[in-house]
Each structure stands twice: as C-alpha cells, then as structure tokens.
Amino acid sequence: MLYQLTLIISFITVKAPTTELPDWAFKHFVQFSERFDIYDQIEPTYIELDLDGDRTNDVAIFVREKSINKTGILFLFDGDGERYFLAGAGDSFGAGGDNFEWADKWGIFLKSKTHQTTFLPNGDIDGTKTVELKNPAISIREDEGSGGLIYFDGNQFIWIHQGD
C-alpha cells in the first residue's frame, strides 16, 4: 500500500510542471492552457531570460499543441499580458519547422556574436556569416546534428541556423 501511494505522488509531481513557472508567467499561460500543455519530455520545461532588453525576465516555455500533438516554444513577455510569440507547435518557424519534436536540448545563449550557416538556393551550404546579438537568445538543437538560435531582434523573432 505504501509503495502505491509513493507512485501516485510521483505521478502528480511530474504532471504539474506549470506550478514551477513564475507567478506572472503562470497567470499569463492560463489563457493558453486549453490549447497547450507544458511539454515535459525536454528539460528544462521553461527558461527565464530577458528577450527584449528591458531588464525584466521573460519566459520561454516548451509546449505541445493538444489538438495536433506538435511541439514548440511559447514566449511570454513579462509586464505585458498581451505580448507573446509561438515558434513551432503548428506554426512554422525558420528551419525549426512547425514541430520541434526533433529537439533534444535547449538553453540560453549569452554571447554577443554568433555564426549563422548560410545556404545556396539549391540547399547546399554556402558558408557562414557573423551575427551580432544585443540580448540573449534561445539555443535549440539535436544531440548529434544541427539546430539554431531563436532571437528577438527588437521587432521580431528570427531563426539563426547553425550546423548542417
């Protein structure tokens, strides 16, 4: 009997990742909860970072769109309950596509410069170019493969492709 109780408690803890979000982000996420679940197959389930340089942390949450079972990242801006952005989870974004199921890891990229892989019109790799970053970005990638950075340039989110 004690063994069964332990399993139930563990199950509840794993299935309630939204309680870990900062209070403001949890309140903001509630409006999306009918459409999205927090996707707990990648760690961490959310990341706090200052996307727009206003010196307040915003939140990126790995989500799964319930009706189509596609994953992506929902970006919520602190201090503005109306501002959000969705990459993936049914909305195509850069080379990441409309489903980020391919991603094995993600994190914060803090460097002020990075290199973007450039491609020829036929899809072959052309080379790289240097990109300057004013604020942190989200790095998302496969364990053995390519990935990219998701960066807010002050006006819009952009995909900076890295690798093959």
Side-chain angles (χ1 to χ4, degrees):
M1 184 71 169
L2 180 61
Y3 177 71
Q4 289 176 336
L5 180 61
T6 303
L7 286 177
I8 291 170
I9 291 170
S10 295
F11 176 76
I12 292 169
T13 302
V14 169
K15 292 299 179 186
T18 55
T19 59
E20 299 173 12
L21 290 171
D23 288 342
W24 72 267
F26 177 76
K27 290 174 188 170
H28 192 45
F29 182 76
V30 167
Q31 69 181 308
F32 300 100
S33 63
E34 295 233 355
R35 182 175 174 198
F36 299 109
D37 284 324
I38 293 179
Y39 186 67
D40 61 3
Q41 300 303 303
I42 193 166
E43 289 292 330
T45 54
Y46 75 94
I47 296 173
E48 292 184 71
L49 71 163
D50 183 7
L51 291 164
D52 54 5
D54 67 356
R55 298 185 181 161
T56 62
N57 274 347
D58 307 299
V59 172
I61 309 167
F62 223 97
V63 295
R64 181 188 63 87
E65 210 287 352
K66 294 177 183 180
S67 67
I68 57 175
N69 203 33
K70 292 186 177 184
T71 62
I73 301 172
L74 178 65
F75 295 89
L76 305 178
F77 290 88
D78 185 18
D80 188 347
E82 301 298 317
R83 243 171 105 196
Y84 72 91
F85 179 77
L86 180 64
D91 288 358
S92 189
F93 181 73
D98 73 344
N99 188 0
F100 287 10
E101 186 74 28
W102 54 266
D104 295 309
K105 55 187 170 185
W106 70 318
I108 301 174
F109 185 85
L110 296 171
K111 296 179 182 177
S112 61
K113 289 184 183 180
T114 191
H115 298 289
Q116 178 175 3
T117 304
T118 57
F119 297 91
L120 296 170
N122 68 0
D124 289 344
I125 293 176
D126 182 34
T128 61
K129 71 176 184 177
T130 301
V131 178
E132 294 197 24
L133 307 174
K134 294 179 183 175
N135 298 311
I138 292 290
S139 172
I140 182 169
R141 49 196 351 88
E142 299 172 295
D143 279 333
E144 294 185 29
S146 61
L149 299 179
I150 302 174
Y151 177 67
F152 183 69
D153 70 2
N155 295 310
Q156 64 183 351
F157 281 86
I158 59 172
W159 176 268
I160 301 171
H161 193 84
Q162 298 183 319
D164 298 343

